[in-house]
Amino acid sequence: MAALPSYEPGSRARAFLDRIQTAKYDRQIVNGLQKFFDGSLPEEMRSLYSHDELEALKALRGTPRDVEKRMPVKVTRHYFELVRNSRALQALIKARPAETDDLEGAPDPGRQMEYSPVEGMIHKYELALLYVASTCSAHCRFCYREELIAKKEIIRPDGTVAPKGLADVGGVVTYIVKHNEEVALAGGRHPLTRREKLREVLLSGGDPMVLSNANLGTWLSALAEAGIEQIRIGTKELAFFPARFDSTFFDMLDKFHEAYPGIALRMMVHFNHPDEFLVKSADGSYTADPDGGLVWVSETKRAVKEFAKRNWITIDNQAPIIRGINNDPDALRIMQRELRRNRIENHYFFCGRDIIGHRAFNVPIEEAWRVLNESQKGLSGVEGHARLSITHYKGKTEVVAVTNEPLAGVPGGQSGVIIFKLLRSAKDAPLKGKVAIAGRNPEAIWFSGYADRVIFDELGLFTEYIEIARKQRTAASELTESLV
Amino acid sequence: MTFVVVEGCILCKHTDCVSECPVDCFYEGPNFLVIHPDECIDCGLCVPVCPEKAIYQDTKVPPEQSAFIDLNRELAQAWVPITKKKASLPDASKWSGVPAKLKYLERKT
């Protein structure tokens, strides 16, 4: 591998970095099932799994169905305390043998490696994504980056095989500066991709909030110096360990804002269920706040208020709808209302991706649409405008509507139709806004479930899946013939 | 809940692990490094970069080295954090792979 250009902060960045305070955090993480098996945990934490559950998981160790090989087990003390009184959060954090019943799925969901110009960077849309950490404080079982977290080997477009690596500041800055120079020279559009200047970058992983303030500050200032105008931080730390958002962190942000006042920060947070941020009584009910709304977990509320105070920072929530966790209209209605009331926008809800083992987690696409649609009944327009998106390798695709009435005279439409629209498309978004319509299949958990009932497809959403289905039919009929 | 530095590091102290650690949880003594068990986030990035293969997950520490689990906790509280890589100890290559180095551990900073 060629040596990456090293990064040396300039004088403005250096002055900012020298003023960052660091703090230490005691997340009290439990990592791996071993400590549950050997009982070396505090008594109350051992109770997360029953004896029978542990025996079933133990029996899979070292086999191809080992749940920890698919996705390592990890939880913080803070999240454990929330989980104790929540079946939904137990489904999010506890490993189950069913996760490895069916290991079908894409080794690299979304085909990110086809859009990776530099290690650890995905430049697919107008926005670029960086892997800056390969772990989180705790692990969602349904994680769609399981290949990164579990450090699985991925086949690259050039045929080499290696785990996904992390982004390096020097390599990323060099790429951005060069890309934007090429755009400027060509008069505002990149000569090959027709993209505009790269203005927005998402720090992702893993969770960037596991990094130290100094490490985060290095990313923020390096991206600002490279010409990035909006920086996103994708994090679930408000749910897993809100104490991470302490005074030293906000002090770092304030100093960054002093040094780079033109840069906007977009916190992309991840709450799946209101049990992750609301105080819940033993009988399972939430508590009305005399000042309005419901009572929040104090540490989480404090962190959200600190973000909301700063007018250069926005907060958006996005979350997948996962079976047994939040395929519950009432929970989602409460969540959307409470988030918006506290200055957090409801951005996207997602259908589960085709990760390895996705059959254990995914809600049928039509059911996810129904759940979100039901949840938004009773919400005002500003509370309930989040869309349902499913990530096709061509781009983020909205599930616009599912109809219940037959579409008269249209073959495939006898039981109603499902309508998709492409929200985002790679490079200069040539397919944005295009639509596909298919006959309903209430069982479908991925695009392949509609391959035999496509009615209209102006964006090629189903082309590849129809071809795969045709090959499977041919192979099956050849097999039948050879048996006869 | 943590990774643990074991005997192989003593008298070598290459510090490659320090530049990998995302949370700066390494602490430095005169001839050894340790990981603070409450600050480590279990990412495992330090493991492959250690030239001495001297870092293990706490549940996978070889039995004869298990005393290092407590030793990491104890010394992390006594020593100062190290956040940037520095040169290996001068005799690192001489001590690389030498067994039973615990008796050479210097605790005083």
Side-chain angles (χ1 to χ4, degrees), chain A residues 330-346:
Chain A
D330 293 335
L332 291 188
R333 185 178 309 112
I334 292 168
M335 183 167 92
Q336 290 169 90
R337 187 179 285 143
E338 275 302 308
L339 291 181
R340 184 60 207 241
R341 216 175 62 78
N342 287 276
R343 301 276 310 274
I344 302 175
E345 273 283 355
N346 295 292

Side-chain angles (χ1 to χ4, degrees), chain A residues 24 29 31 35 74 210, chain B residues 1 23-24 41-43 58:
Chain A
K24 299 288 183 178
I29 290 167
N31 194 8
K35 291 199 170 67
K74 194 170 174 188
V210 303
Chain B
M1 295 185 211
V23 294
D24 299 337
I41 52 161
D42 307 291
C43 69
D58 58 351

Side-chain angles (χ1 to χ4, degrees), chain B residues 4-105:
Chain B
V4 175
V5 187
V6 301
E7 195 169 63
C9 176
I10 296 174
L11 288 162
C12 293
K13 204 171 76 166
H14 297 284
T15 70
D16 296 71
C17 50
V18 172
S19 47
E20 285 298 315
C21 179
V23 294
D24 299 337
C25 70
F26 282 89
Y27 288 70
E28 184 186 21
N31 61 7
F32 186 48
L33 297 173
V34 291
I35 292 172
H36 196 305
D38 298 335
E39 293 167 7
C40 171
I41 52 161
D42 307 291
C43 69
L45 291 175
C46 53
V47 174
V49 300
C50 175
E52 304 300 327
K53 304 271 172 276
I55 307 178
Y56 290 87
Q57 189 149 16
D58 58 351
T59 51
K60 292 177 184 157
V61 173
E64 71 279 8
Q65 308 256 332
S66 59
F68 281 86
I69 298 173
D70 287 341
L71 203 54
N72 272 244
R73 179 177 287 280
E74 179 198 328
L75 295 173
Q77 278 149 13
W79 289 351
V80 291
I82 169 171
T83 59
K84 288 201 168 64
K85 180 174 165 49
K86 50 164 89 167
S88 307
L89 289 180
D91 290 334
S93 57
K94 186 180 124 196
W95 289 103
S96 174
V98 174
K101 292 193 281 186
L102 180 55
K103 55 181 174 284
Y104 304 114
L105 172 67

Side-chain angles (χ1 to χ4, degrees), chain A residues 188-387:
Chain A
R189 292 269 181 184
H190 194 276
L192 297 177
T193 62
R194 307 296 304 149
R195 277 192 190 105
E196 290 186 33
K197 169 182 185 228
L198 186 49
R199 293 187 172 88
E200 185 161 357
V201 164
L202 164 65
L203 302 181
S204 182
D207 194 326
M209 291 310 304
V210 303
L211 304 179
S212 64
N213 292 337
N215 205 332
L216 284 168
T218 301
W219 276 114
L220 295 179
S221 54
L223 293 170
E225 295 279 348
I228 297 300
E229 297 163 8
Q230 286 88 231
I231 303 173
R232 298 187 182 191
I233 296 179
T235 180
K236 197 172 170 66
E237 199 75 331
L238 276 175
F240 287 153
F241 186 65
R244 173 64 186 86
F245 302 95
D246 64 348
S247 59
T248 68
F249 172 71
F250 286 106
D251 181 69
M252 183 275 286
L253 290 187
D254 290 341
K255 285 171 176 157
F256 172 71
H257 184 57
E258 271 172 44
Y260 301 94
I263 311 298
L265 182 68
R266 298 176 172 164
M267 295 302 298
M268 307 305 292
V269 304
H270 178 187
F271 288 116
N272 294 89
H273 193 283
D275 285 0
E276 293 182 314
F277 57 87
L278 294 181
V279 170
K280 207 174 167 192
S281 60
D283 69 358
S285 61
Y286 303 124
T287 313
D289 186 332
D291 296 333
L294 300 169
V295 176
W296 282 49
V297 173
S298 59
E299 194 74 350
T300 316
K301 178 94 167 187
R302 180 199 52 77
V304 170
K305 275 186 161 170
E306 287 296 323
F307 280 118
K309 259 196 236 171
R310 291 161 171 84
N311 63 10
W312 58 285
I313 303 176
T314 55
I315 326 169
D316 287 79
N317 188 60
Q318 39 188 12
I321 295 177
I322 302 291
R323 198 202 309 167
I325 299 175
N326 60 358
N327 55 333
D328 172 352
D330 293 335
L332 291 188
R333 185 178 309 112
I334 292 168
M335 183 167 92
Q336 290 169 90
R337 187 179 285 143
E338 275 302 308
L339 291 181
R340 184 60 207 241
R341 216 175 62 78
N342 287 276
R343 301 276 310 274
I344 302 175
E345 273 283 355
N346 295 292
H347 185 42
Y348 281 133
F349 284 93
F350 295 110
C351 293
R353 289 199 186 191
D354 56 339
I355 60 163
I356 304 288
H358 63 288
R359 278 179 213 283
F361 305 102
N362 286 16
V363 172
I365 297 168
E366 294 170 21
E367 171 66 3
W369 184 85
R370 188 195 68 81
V371 167
L372 182 60
N373 194 56
E374 282 301 311
S375 81
Q376 291 177 339
K377 292 178 181 172
L379 293 184
S380 70
V382 292
E383 291 170 334
H385 59 73
R387 294 184 282 192

Side-chain angles (χ1 to χ4, degrees), chain A residues 107-145:
Chain A
D108 178 20
R111 297 190 193 164
Q112 292 188 318
M113 283 297 130
E114 291 178 15
Y115 298 95
S116 182
V118 195
E119 192 66 32
M121 179 183 210
I122 316 296
H123 189 187
K124 182 173 181 176
Y125 304 121
E126 68 296 330
L127 158 105
L129 178 154
L130 303 179
Y131 292 141
V132 298
S134 59
T135 190
C136 302
S137 284
H139 292 159
C140 309
R141 299 311 300 164
F142 58 79
C143 179
Y144 73 100
R145 295 272 168 72

